[in-house]
Amino acid sequence: MTVAQTASQRLLLGAFALPEDQALVCWRQWREGVDIVNLGPESARLLPTIVHGRPKWLAEDPARNIIRGLCRRAWTEHQIGLRSLARIVTSLRSSGISRGVLCGSAAVGQYYAERKSIRPFESPEWLIGSHEVDVALGVLSSEGWQLPETGLADMHYGVWLSQTGAERVHLIWRRRWNCEGPSKTNSFELPGATVEVLPPEELLAEVLLTPEGGSQLAWQWDALAITAERKLDWRRVETLTDQDELAVSRLRELRDEWGIAVPGYLTHSARGGFLRQRIRRINRDYRWVARNDGARPSVTGLAAYCVKRWWRVFIVPGRGQ
């Protein structure tokens, strides 16, 4: 379920997402009620997403130097993160892993950049083929990236690698949310490298399906950055989210509270009752696993999947077993 926002959080989100005149009203209302000097870390992290690229908003603000300092620090951290990602991509490409796709917050950040906004840079997520994992881990280990103490045990989707200086990267070889694989990719410029990035429909599906607490920002920020003034393939979004209850409720909020033109068929809960929804989910999850393992989905494969993962299938169903 979606966690309710406080009045202060709502004003900040309005200052980010609403049309300019309304956004300015939200910003002024928020500023009247806060002391920047004693601002909490969560709100401080959000300011660069709102006021970077809007210098007029700060012209007469007595705390403008503090706010500008927060924006400069966010910009610097963002550039460091992108350069770190570029080094990783260059190293993998030199080892023969030429194809990879940028996912996660670093990918969503491109839509903030279009608004002259800065999204807090979280650890980059890089998607590679499952057959390239051993080579990739060997290359990154030789450059000082370390596996978690548990090694690769239970690392079904990917692994977090860390380096001195608190740098982290999430190397992914299976995707939780999409059993069909990316329909296409777009290009994204890093410092010294051009990479492929998931298209907006894929990124939006990740945002809609990720539980609360899975990101530094509330889901609304990324969803509104992706959907604002952009024509999306909503049928693709429907396929990816598969009438998931969490996604449906969030799409309703985007439509009803933020004026996003979400088609009506995406805001209706799945029909057919509990059993039909369970069967749909099992089939979707099996197809996801099969495609990530390089196998062609089949009835025989589905039966074997249900036997092998009976606990997750019948007792504790989830997404992407």
Side-chain angles (χ1 to χ4, degrees):
M1 61 181 294
T2 299
V3 177
Q5 295 179 310
T6 66
S8 178
Q9 292 170 336
R10 181 80 179 186
L11 286 173
L12 283 174
L13 186 55
F16 169 73
L18 292 174
E20 191 70 13
D21 291 345
Q22 299 175 51
L24 181 56
V25 170
C26 289
W27 170 253
R28 287 174 174 169
Q29 290 179 1
W30 181 82
R31 279 296 288 119
E32 290 174 358
V34 298
D35 176 9
I36 293 294
V37 175
N38 297 313
L39 194 63
E42 181 179 351
S43 296
R45 187 170 58 242
L46 293 172
L47 291 187
T49 70
I50 299 166
V51 297
H52 186 264
R54 286 166 160 169
K56 293 182 179 179
W57 286 20
L58 301 178
E60 300 179 2
D61 194 314
R64 58 184 176 276
N65 289 333
I66 296 176
I67 297 174
R68 287 168 180 165
L70 291 172
C71 290
R72 285 192 295 270
R73 185 174 69 181
W75 183 87
T76 300
E77 291 174 350
H78 194 78
Q79 295 304 308
I80 291 173
L82 291 179
R83 285 184 169 84
S84 176
L85 177 58
R87 291 197 305 272
I88 292 170
V89 171
T90 300
S91 297
L92 293 177
R93 286 176 175 173
S94 66
S95 67
I97 304 177
S98 58
R99 173 137 187 163
V101 182
L102 182 63
C103 310
S105 61
V108 177
Q110 65 180 311
Y111 299 108
Y112 287 79
E114 291 176 359
R115 310 161 65 104
K116 297 183 178 179
S117 178
I118 303 174
R119 191 200 188 285
F121 192 93
E122 300 171 6
S123 302
E125 299 180 23
W126 191 248
L127 175 67
I128 62 173
S130 57
H131 62 286
E132 299 171 318
V133 173
D134 290 340
V135 174
L137 292 178
V139 170
L140 295 179
S141 295
S142 68
E143 297 190 357
W145 291 92
Q146 298 178 340
L147 286 168
E149 294 181 359
T150 56
L152 289 177
D154 299 322
M155 298 296 180
H156 188 65
Y157 305 110
V159 63
W160 287 100
L161 302 171
S162 60
Q163 201 173 50
T164 305
E167 284 187 288
R168 295 209 310 164
V169 62
H170 196 191
L171 193 66
I172 307 169
W173 48 85
R174 289 184 173 93
R175 298 183 62 210
R176 287 177 173 83
W177 311 125
N178 178 17
C179 65
E180 301 295 337
S183 58
K184 59 181 179 179
T185 56
N186 298 328
S187 295
F188 181 59
E189 293 294 331
L190 293 175
T194 301
V195 299
E196 292 181 276
V197 62
L198 291 179
E201 294 83 5
E202 313 266 342
L203 293 172
L204 179 60
E206 283 196 352
V207 170
L208 295 173
L209 292 165
T210 299
E212 298 285 353
S215 171
Q216 288 185 1
L217 302 185
W219 69 270
Q220 292 95 336
W221 292 80
D222 286 346
L224 290 167
I226 294 169
T227 56
E229 301 179 6
R230 181 169 289 101
K231 184 177 181 180
L232 296 175
D233 181 353
W234 289 108
R235 287 295 181 185
R236 179 65 177 161
V237 175
E238 179 187 28
T239 299
L240 295 169
T241 56
D242 196 25
Q243 293 185 299
D244 182 273
E245 292 182 7
L246 179 61
V248 169
S249 67
R250 289 177 171 182
L251 286 165
R252 282 200 205 103
E253 180 177 330
L254 290 177
R255 181 195 63 188
D256 298 340
E257 299 187 27
W258 299 102
I260 303 300
V262 178
Y265 59 81
L266 280 171
T267 58
H268 298 300
S269 299
R271 299 178 179 177
F274 174 80
L275 181 59
R276 183 174 178 180
Q277 291 183 43
R278 176 70 63 84
I279 293 173
R280 282 162 54 88
R281 175 165 291 182
I282 292 171
N283 183 58
R284 180 191 62 197
D285 291 344
Y286 159 67
R287 289 169 61 82
W288 175 84
V289 170
R291 289 180 184 276
N292 276 288
D293 287 341
R296 183 184 296 275
S298 65
V299 175
T300 303
L302 175 60
Y305 168 80
C306 291
V307 171
K308 182 179 179 181
R309 302 185 183 276
W310 65 271
W311 176 264
R312 295 288 293 173
V313 168
F314 297 108
I315 309 300
V316 191
R319 181 177 296 99
Q321 311 300 332

